[in-house]
Amino acid sequence: MAEIRPFAALRPVPELVSKIAELPYDVMSTQEARDILKENPLSFVRVSRAEADLPEGISESDPRVYGKARENLERYIAEGQMKQDPQPYYYIYRQQMGAYIQIGLVAVASLKEYKEGIIKRHELTRQNKETDRVNHILATKAQTGPVFLAYKSKGLLTAFLLEYMGSHMPVYNFVGDDKIRHTLYVISEPLKVKEVTRLFQQVPELYIADGHHRCAAALRVAEELGKRPGQTGKEEYNYVLAVIFPSNMLHILPYNRIVRDLGELSEEKFLEMVQEKFLMEKADRPVTPQAPHTFGMYISGQWYKLTAKPDTYPTEDPIHSLDVSILQDNLLTPVLGIDDPRTDPRIDFVGGVRGLGALEDAVDGEDATVAFSMYPTSMDQLMNVADKGLVMPPKSTWFEPKLRDALTVHMIGDEQDGKNL
């Protein structure tokens, strides 16, 4: 059984939530964060990317950055712009992007279960990114952005949440600059809180959809603070802030690829080599793949539809049958010489939310030579990989809409005494 708990969230006051709540720290650069702060000084990037509130040129990992994050979080509290709920509650987070809606439960999940594999991962993490979040958590004494979790739903919890939403008013309901509507409900009644905990006992395991670095960093913090004498294992730092969605409600967009050059190949030779393992057809419009194992390719102003030839990939292999692996194994590595897409500077990745126009702009603007549009990885594929304890190739999934930081901050307590602030 996956263990969750209610918690007392630090939240923006309703009249300021649309100004404070912000996109996650890892979908923007420092310069983009600076631009956001110029337009909106209340934006939570003051905490999540505090280097944007310091002089230019400062390193993202400078100790002053983490100190500034803590200072800015304390300022929100001191000025009454964010307040902590008086008791542990659950929260319902509803997002709407066009016609698409996803509804998640906001709770804290057990880091012990993450360590034991009940919360399953599918990505590798990078030490430097983990360490950045470790330092951020320790400095702010808070988990400021949630991990995005999924579970295989039997429908009972979702039915409860929908019924609750139908009979209660939300505390927040606003549309962000990205045109996504964010709505939050607070489940504060003690009996309802107990009912959520009971209903969640049907869930045997959880899957990380997005937020591997946040989860790994939270565990490192818990293991460090847990070394102190007198710890019970139930302190707030032993749990990680999460929004938990039924897997059948999640929306995965493709994670497209752009490549800066063809190496030493001429375009003619490149196109010839592509056809060794792909059927290639010219297209008179941008190619959005409509089925697995099909790809769009844009080069020199021309779109092509690529279809992987039969027997060029292992159909039963959970990793190498993924479209991102087929493209990597049959084209990027053997044709273009890109062996490790995680580190090779010749390749970059473009989230599907930016559309195919972003691929055309990269190629037409000479930032890239060739671009590939992908068919999105499915939740079933992701969970199958995680169930087998395997790791997906880098940049396999792009979840949209993104969860906003600052809607519900998890205060983990003072690192000296383990008590809530």
Side-chain angles (χ1 to χ4, degrees):
M1 181 187 82
E3 179 192 355
I4 63 166
R5 289 198 334 189
F7 70 107
L10 176 71
R11 303 188 286 111
V13 295
E15 59 269 26
L16 295 178
V17 65
S18 63
K19 290 187 174 297
I20 294 175
E22 191 52 83
L23 289 167
Y25 77 97
D26 53 356
V27 301
M28 67 183 75
S29 66
T30 297
Q31 186 56 54
E32 287 169 333
R34 290 186 187 279
D35 294 342
I36 289 171
L37 274 184
K38 286 178 184 176
E39 294 293 321
N40 175 22
L42 280 179
S43 168
F44 201 70
V45 298
R46 292 195 303 175
V47 174
S48 60
R49 295 210 68 133
E51 74 274 10
D53 202 23
L54 289 167
E56 292 195 21
I58 191 167
S59 166
E60 295 177 17
S61 58
D62 190 296
R64 289 172 293 176
V65 171
Y66 306 111
K68 190 67 173 178
R70 177 61 190 177
E71 175 189 326
N72 286 342
L73 186 61
E74 288 177 338
R75 188 190 309 170
Y76 282 124
I77 298 169
E79 296 181 0
Q81 296 161 340
M82 297 182 74
K83 297 180 179 180
Q84 189 169 14
D85 285 326
Q87 298 293 332
Y89 301 144
Y90 288 116
Y91 307 83
I92 304 171
Y93 185 10
R94 179 188 186 273
Q95 294 176 290
Q96 181 167 0
M97 182 177 66
Y100 170 73
I101 295 171
Q102 63 184 26
I103 299 167
L105 176 70
V106 186
V108 291
S110 167
L111 286 164
K112 179 174 179 287
E113 293 189 345
Y114 168 69
K115 187 175 182 179
E116 293 173 349
I118 295 172
I119 299 176
K120 300 185 178 185
R121 65 200 89 179
H122 66 267
E123 282 184 8
L124 297 174
T125 55
R126 299 210 309 253
Q127 186 81 4
N128 63 327
K129 290 185 68 177
E130 274 187 35
T131 300
D132 168 62
R133 287 302 100 180
V134 166
N135 291 335
H136 194 272
I137 293 170
L138 289 174
T140 59
K141 305 178 180 66
Q143 297 160 356
T144 58
V147 178
F148 192 149
L149 298 180
Y151 68 99
K152 297 175 182 176
S153 175
K154 296 180 181 176
L156 296 177
L157 180 59
T158 299
F160 174 89
L161 298 183
L162 290 171
E163 181 181 352
Y164 192 92
M165 292 164 61
S167 58
H168 292 75
M169 293 295 292
V171 292
Y172 305 145
N173 187 15
F174 67 97
V175 177
D177 294 338
D178 52 6
K179 310 303 182 187
I180 293 169
R181 180 170 293 278
H182 303 269
T183 309
L184 191 81
Y185 298 78
V186 179
I187 304 177
S188 58
E189 307 91 327
L191 289 178
K192 297 290 187 183
V193 170
K194 288 182 179 179
E195 180 65 4
V196 170
T197 303
R198 186 190 71 81
L199 287 171
F200 206 81
Q201 290 174 358
Q202 66 174 297
V203 177
E205 65 254 324
L206 293 165
Y207 299 84
I208 301 177
D210 204 1
H212 285 78
H213 286 92
R214 294 183 187 208
C215 212
L219 177 62
R220 284 175 55 184
V221 169
E223 290 180 333
E224 181 62 30
L225 299 184
K227 294 176 183 177
R228 297 167 300 145
Q231 303 304 294
T232 67
K234 294 297 182 181
E235 295 82 8
E236 288 296 324
Y237 61 73
N238 289 293
Y239 295 81
V240 64
L241 176 63
V243 187
I244 310 167
F245 295 90
S247 60
N248 58 6
M249 199 179 279
L250 295 182
H251 190 48
I252 304 180
L253 294 180
Y255 219 149
N256 299 319
R257 274 80 170 129
I258 59 175
V259 179
R260 306 200 188 287
D261 59 66
L262 302 181
E264 297 182 358
L265 297 176
S266 66
E267 184 174 324
E268 181 181 12
K269 182 62 176 177
F270 167 71
L271 294 175
E272 177 186 323
M273 294 179 70
V274 166
Q275 294 178 76
E276 292 176 7
K277 294 192 176 180
F278 296 87
L279 300 173
M280 189 173 75
E281 310 166 65
K282 278 190 175 182
D284 57 7
R285 64 188 66 185
V287 177
T288 300
Q290 299 298 311
H293 314 328
T294 61
F295 310 82
M297 183 175 72
Y298 184 67
I299 185 170
S300 296
Q302 175 65 53
W303 278 96
Y304 297 86
K305 177 184 176 183
L306 306 182
T307 304
K309 292 181 179 179
D311 302 323
T312 60
Y313 56 91
T315 58
E316 302 302 318
D317 188 302
I319 298 295
H320 292 283
S321 62
L322 296 171
D323 281 7
V324 290
S325 295
I326 292 171
L327 185 71
Q328 183 67 45
D329 297 343
N330 291 345
L331 198 161
L332 297 179
T333 293
V335 178
L336 292 175
I338 297 172
D339 295 320
D340 186 354
R342 194 182 302 276
T343 59
D344 196 313
R346 294 173 56 217
I347 190 169
D348 208 346
F349 305 88
V350 181
V353 71
R354 294 178 58 191
L356 299 187
L359 303 186
E360 293 181 335
D361 290 345
V363 174
D364 295 344
E366 299 183 356
D367 290 328
T369 299
V370 62
F372 301 93
S373 58
M374 310 291 294
Y375 186 77
T377 304
S378 71
M379 274 303 301
D380 284 343
Q381 288 175 314
L382 183 154
M383 291 187 294
N384 184 37
V385 169
D387 284 339
K388 289 179 167 56
L390 301 173
V391 175
M392 298 186 83
K395 310 298 184 183
S396 293
T397 56
W398 179 276
F399 286 90
E400 198 71 34
K402 299 295 183 186
L403 308 179
R404 288 276 169 143
D405 281 1
L407 288 180
T408 54
V409 172
H410 180 215
M411 307 302 291
I412 67 165
D414 189 281
E415 68 263 28
Q416 298 304 314
D417 59 20
K419 296 177 182 178
N420 286 340
L421 297 173

